[in-house]
Amino acid sequence: MEHIKISTAQFEHRSGDKAYNQSVIEQIAEKASLEGSQVIAFHECSITGYTFARKLTREQLLDVAEYVPQGESTSRLVQTAAKLNITILAGLFEKDRNDKIYKTYVCVDKNGLVAKHRKLHPFINQWITPGNKYTLFDLHGWKCGILICYDNNVIENVRATKLLGADIIFMPHVTMCTPSPRPGAGFVDPELWRNRHKDPEALRSEFDGPKGREWIMKWLPARAYDNGVYIVFSNPVGMDDDQLKNGCSMIIDPFGDIISECRTLGDDFVTATLTPEKLTVAGGYRYIKARRPELYRDIIGKDHKPEQKVAWLEEKKTQPSGSKTNGFK
């Protein structure tokens, strides 16, 4: 494998405004291409917007969703990739011919669709169907995988993607700055975003604290370290519907070290050169070779009924009828 130059981006998307979001994707991708990047990754639902979907009916969500790769958004993304000679990864809501709806992340290049991943653990809207398989594909001689947001919190998904051969895992998110049982979690006041040019320190303090970056640092580097993989993490910055997100898109190497990270309070991207040498000298490489599956095959593979609870959505079940909720309708 040769070295590969990858960028990860953050930007403030507009809910349901595909034309605007695609225009930002194109602008950032062009800058990355001019700097020599071969690949650029954007966040979950970067084309459509994300949190606004919690309010949508099935019919409204079907109107937002598109066929992949036949839909207009994927076609436009391919045109952009061809024009700029760069591989682009971005997210949207997908529908199939049976009107099933998925949370999907696509990878395209100048020749068309390279790969698509349907989120395994969706929760923003009750009408979204979970994906049912892992996603592996090749980019410039590297074996890659995709896991979307909550998919990465279930650690078996990351290990399975690695065992299937992935050396780079793209992890698009819309995360942080939401309530949770963990200490210090919660929303960040949108007024801090509106006042960010006058008082950037106050916003940065919230973004980097337990509501934001401190939480992601508890587990994201561990996914890279334990599995000996490169992680390309993408996350929006700014307002996502009525919630504020803190960006900090980053690339992490197989040692669990951050090698590039967005630190601005606005639309941005960063780039890193990934080298194959790190894959075999990092600890995760040795740990995977030392595994003894006979000890835990029957434990990991036991029958299990999935139960997914998300704190800020669970509020809907406990609030009185007619009260404001952050859960989907």
Side-chain angles (χ1 to χ4, degrees):
M1 291 185 296
E2 301 293 331
H3 296 184
I4 185 172
K5 198 169 183 179
I6 295 181
S7 299
T8 183
Q10 64 179 34
F11 74 92
E12 185 178 29
H13 61 240
R14 293 180 183 173
S15 299
D17 193 341
K18 298 177 189 177
Y20 172 79
N21 296 333
Q22 286 266 27
S23 72
V24 178
I25 287 170
E26 290 164 7
Q27 291 167 20
I28 295 175
E30 182 175 17
K31 292 177 182 177
S33 177
L34 289 172
E35 292 185 11
S37 187
Q38 297 160 274
V39 182
I40 185 164
F42 294 89
H43 59 268
E44 176 185 17
C45 284
S46 46
I47 294 173
T48 54
Y50 178 70
T51 298
F52 83 109
R54 75 191 192 275
K55 307 169 185 175
L56 302 184
T57 65
R58 181 173 182 270
E59 290 71 26
Q60 290 170 328
L61 197 55
L62 281 169
D63 286 341
V64 173
E66 299 183 24
Y67 299 121
V68 174
Q70 301 89 350
E72 181 180 345
S73 292
T74 306
S75 297
R76 179 171 173 178
L77 213 60
V78 171
Q79 292 170 7
T80 301
K83 176 184 176 182
L84 302 176
N85 193 30
I86 190 171
T87 300
I88 303 174
L89 295 97
L92 72 165
F93 293 102
E94 178 194 4
K95 60 185 174 184
D96 66 14
R97 298 298 176 182
N98 297 313
D99 281 347
K100 286 186 176 180
I101 303 166
Y102 303 92
K103 179 78 67 54
T104 296
Y105 195 69
V106 298
C107 174
V108 306
D109 65 13
K110 61 184 178 182
N111 298 313
L113 183 71
V114 176
K116 75 174 180 181
H117 177 74
R118 291 170 170 171
K119 190 173 182 178
L120 307 174
H121 299 272
F123 58 81
I124 197 67
N125 186 294
Q126 61 184 316
W127 298 110
I128 298 175
T129 302
N132 61 5
K133 63 180 181 180
Y134 296 114
T135 303
L136 276 295
F137 58 101
D138 292 310
L139 282 183
H140 301 283
W142 290 70
K143 185 71 74 174
C144 303
I146 298 169
L147 291 169
I148 301 173
C149 202
Y150 204 95
D151 293 352
N152 296 284
N153 296 121
V154 180
I155 60 176
E156 288 87 348
N157 291 330
V158 184
R159 177 50 60 93
T161 302
K162 170 60 184 180
L163 291 178
L164 287 169
D167 290 320
I168 303 170
I169 303 180
F170 292 92
M171 297 185 177
H173 280 63
V174 176
T175 194
M176 295 180 276
C177 305
T178 52
S180 168
R182 59 185 168 82
F187 292 120
V188 174
D189 186 352
E191 185 61 30
L192 293 176
W193 177 253
R194 291 188 284 268
N195 198 42
R196 65 190 181 280
H197 300 300
K198 293 182 179 179
D199 189 5
E201 291 80 11
L203 181 60
R204 177 55 66 194
S205 177
E206 284 281 79
F207 275 2
D208 285 354
K211 294 178 181 179
R213 189 177 185 274
E214 278 186 17
W215 170 70
I216 213 83
M217 288 296 99
K218 290 179 183 294
W219 64 271
L220 188 63
R223 299 292 187 271
Y225 177 82
D226 288 343
N227 294 287
V229 294
Y230 284 97
I231 284 175
V232 181
F233 168 81
S234 307
N235 194 51
V237 69
M239 295 306 300
D240 169 37
D241 195 41
D242 59 352
Q243 298 179 14
L244 182 55
K245 298 302 173 187
N246 68 317
C248 74
S249 295
M250 64 181 72
I251 299 174
I252 303 175
D253 73 8
F255 295 106
D257 293 328
I258 299 169
I259 53 177
S260 199
E261 179 181 1
C262 290
R263 296 296 293 163
T264 57
L265 298 175
D267 299 358
D268 202 3
F269 73 96
V270 292
T271 304
T273 298
L274 282 54
T275 61
E277 293 81 9
K278 286 186 178 182
L279 294 170
T280 53
V281 295
Y285 179 80
R286 300 191 301 276
Y287 308 151
I288 287 174
K289 285 185 171 295
R291 290 178 311 116
R292 296 180 57 194
E294 72 276 7
L295 295 176
Y296 39 80
R297 181 182 293 113
D298 294 338
I299 300 171
I300 298 297
K302 275 186 179 180
D303 287 341
H304 166 69
K305 183 178 180 181
E307 181 178 334
Q308 184 168 309
K309 291 184 177 180
V310 181
W312 64 276
L313 291 178
E314 289 295 308
E315 293 175 12
K316 182 176 187 293
K317 299 179 181 178
T318 59
Q319 290 186 349
S321 177
S323 63
K324 184 177 181 181
T325 176
N326 292 306
F328 56 74
K329 308 298 184 196

